[in-house]
Amino acid sequence: GKYQDLNRPQGAIGHFLKSLLFNQPIVIFGDGNIIRDYIYVSDVAKAIEICFFNHNFVNKKIKTFNVGSGIGVSINYLLDIIKLITGKSLDITQKEDRNFDCKYNVLDSSLIFKSLGWKAKVSLSTGIKLMWNWMVDNHC
């Protein structure tokens, strides 16, 4: 989301959008079929806020919550969404798989929903639109 440090080596969406903004190739590792759970920063902030204001409940009963969308999305599908939202053609450079990349990572956030009523609200496409618009407006 907004204010993400795009110089750090993490955050596929931010890096893909930055590559598009500066007309550089998008680099992916492997065939693009790894699955990830993407969540918008405002949803994470809301989860932290809810935990903070319910700290007595959390401290006594539960130590850890997963905070995610619970929706698995492949890199290839993510790139399709980015292409639709930005209207730009994608120049993709495919590199070899990295042996440390987990093939599937989707979080089960049902415990925080059952305990505190939190769930992610910002859809993937809305989050990408927000990020893209911010980057374009601020020439990130």
Side-chain angles (χ1 to χ4, degrees):
K2 295 178 182 180
Y3 309 110
Q4 178 179 339
D5 183 352
L6 299 172
N7 295 312
R8 296 184 69 188
Q10 61 189 28
I13 293 171
H15 284 285
F16 293 168
L17 293 177
K18 181 181 177 185
S19 294
L20 277 178
L21 190 63
F22 292 104
N23 298 309
Q24 299 171 341
I26 293 172
V27 177
I28 66 168
F29 297 92
D31 60 8
N33 287 319
I34 63 169
I35 305 291
R36 293 288 181 270
D37 181 342
Y38 297 97
I39 186 167
Y40 196 70
V41 66
S42 63
D43 283 333
V44 175
K46 189 64 176 177
I48 293 168
E49 175 188 3
I50 288 170
C51 287
F52 179 78
F53 287 111
N54 290 281
H55 63 88
N56 287 334
F57 171 81
V58 173
N59 288 339
K60 291 178 183 172
K61 295 185 179 179
I62 300 169
K63 301 284 184 202
T64 304
F65 290 116
N66 286 330
V67 175
S69 71
I71 300 169
V73 176
S74 73
I75 296 294
N76 291 328
Y77 185 73
L78 176 63
L79 291 169
D80 289 342
I81 294 171
I82 288 172
K83 184 177 179 178
L84 285 172
I85 288 169
T86 64
K88 291 184 164 255
S89 60
L90 308 182
D91 178 10
I92 298 171
T93 298
Q94 188 175 357
K95 293 191 174 184
E96 278 190 47
D97 274 337
R98 299 180 298 188
N99 62 358
F100 58 84
D101 279 331
C102 177
K103 301 293 182 204
Y104 181 90
N105 188 5
V106 178
L107 298 177
D108 176 359
S109 299
S110 60
L111 184 58
I112 193 170
F113 177 72
K114 290 176 193 170
S115 302
L116 301 173
W118 177 90
K119 68 178 179 176
K121 293 184 180 176
V122 179
S123 71
L124 178 61
S125 59
T126 298
I128 292 171
K129 284 179 198 173
L130 291 168
M131 180 82 174
W132 177 248
N133 291 338
W134 174 76
M135 290 175 73
V136 169
D137 290 346
N138 293 283
H139 309 287
C140 291

